[in-house]
Amino acid sequence: MVLSRGAMAAFRLALIQLQVSSIKSDNVTRACGLVREAAAQGAKVISLPECFNSPYGLKYFPEYAEEIPGESTQKLSEVAKECSIYLIGGSIPEADAGKLYNTCAVFGPDGNLLVKHRKIHLFDIDVPGKITFQESKTLSPGDSFSTFDTPYCRVGLGICYDIRFAELAQIYAQRGCQLLVYPGAFNLTTGPAHWELLQRGRAVDNQVYVATASLARDDKASYVAWGHSTVVNP
């Protein structure tokens, strides 16, 4: 997807809809391979999906959690530098000072960590007969806004459930962001109902581009993602 608007320079954005297995090293290796593929096709900003190195689920977060920097983010840093791109590292379960977070690390073309976004709004939901999920049982919420600058535009970050909160997008737009990126993993209940609707709402209200990178759908997984990674224009 080539993005351009007003003073925003045109560039190619790639969203990687990754199928995640139970083997962390395989997930990271495949993710980095797809980053290289996207960069070879001219992408300058690339996003991975939420929880790209781990199955998505309360029982998996403690088992797969790692510090940042750590093994997974080190690989992201290396591939960002190798390909000279901005890499939005989806998210991983992050361990820090005895707490767990759902965290997105962003790396620049020099491989340096630009910003770390901890999911602010945790996914606690109970739809009778459909889905019950409570991230707050194992994860702690982030408490900060996260933006970074590229030569093309300023980018604001959220993770999945963060997209439901219009105020976050409004603040990012007020702070000069022209692109909002939400790595996510909506499910087969919330996905068809609200995934596209929320992106279009955030985009048109704030006159920004909105992009979402989802996990690929795996019908055998304990949590089945909706997929449908999307870019919406203003």
Side-chain angles (χ1 to χ4, degrees):
M1 176 65 64
V2 177
L3 309 183
S4 64
R5 167 180 170 241
M8 184 177 176
F11 67 98
R12 179 160 286 172
L13 169 72
L15 306 174
I16 294 175
Q17 187 163 296
L18 186 71
Q19 184 105 10
V20 170
S21 75
S22 60
I23 303 167
K24 184 196 279 190
S25 58
D26 284 1
N27 296 328
V28 174
T29 298
R30 281 186 299 108
C32 290
L34 289 165
V35 168
R36 291 184 183 97
E37 204 175 304
Q41 293 177 40
K44 298 300 183 188
V45 180
I46 301 173
S47 181
L48 291 167
E50 180 180 25
C51 222
F52 83 90
N53 72 343
S54 154
Y56 183 80
L58 301 183
K59 68 180 180 182
Y60 301 111
F61 297 148
E63 180 186 347
Y64 286 76
E66 56 185 77
E67 294 182 345
I68 297 175
E71 54 180 324
S72 297
T73 50
Q74 178 59 33
K75 294 292 186 187
L76 298 187
S77 168
E78 289 168 5
V79 77
K81 185 174 182 179
E82 174 193 328
C83 297
S84 193
I85 48 99
Y86 289 87
L87 180 56
I88 299 165
S91 80
I92 66 168
E94 179 199 8
D96 183 35
K99 291 184 176 180
L100 299 179
Y101 301 91
N102 188 340
T103 304
C104 174
V106 179
F107 296 92
D110 55 4
N112 287 335
L113 179 67
L114 299 179
V115 70
K116 190 169 77 166
H117 178 76
R118 289 172 169 168
K119 188 175 188 174
I120 300 169
H121 306 93
L122 296 180
F123 181 52
D124 288 3
I125 187 173
D126 183 13
V127 180
K130 295 284 183 74
I131 183 169
T132 300
F133 201 93
Q134 197 173 356
E135 271 190 332
S136 63
K137 279 186 175 176
T138 55
L139 299 178
S140 296
D143 61 2
S144 60
F145 303 117
S146 306
T147 66
F148 66 97
D149 288 313
T150 73
Y152 323 110
C153 66
R154 179 170 292 166
V155 182
L157 295 172
I159 297 173
C160 202
Y161 203 56
D162 284 337
I163 200 173
R164 289 191 178 271
F165 297 84
E167 297 84 355
L168 181 64
Q170 289 163 3
I171 289 165
Y172 283 153
Q174 288 162 5
R175 293 186 177 189
C177 295
Q178 291 175 291
L179 169 64
L180 308 183
V181 179
Y182 297 89
F186 273 42
N187 54 66
L188 299 190
T189 299
T190 60
H194 296 142
W195 177 247
E196 183 182 308
L197 175 69
L198 287 164
Q199 295 173 68
R200 294 174 72 185
R202 298 297 85 93
V204 76
D205 281 352
N206 299 291
Q207 287 299 287
V208 295
Y209 285 88
V210 172
T212 55
S214 172
L215 292 168
R217 189 179 303 179
D218 178 0
D219 293 321
K220 299 183 193 70
S222 57
Y223 180 96
V224 182
W226 174 236
H228 294 276
S229 301
T230 307
V231 182
V232 178
N233 69 24

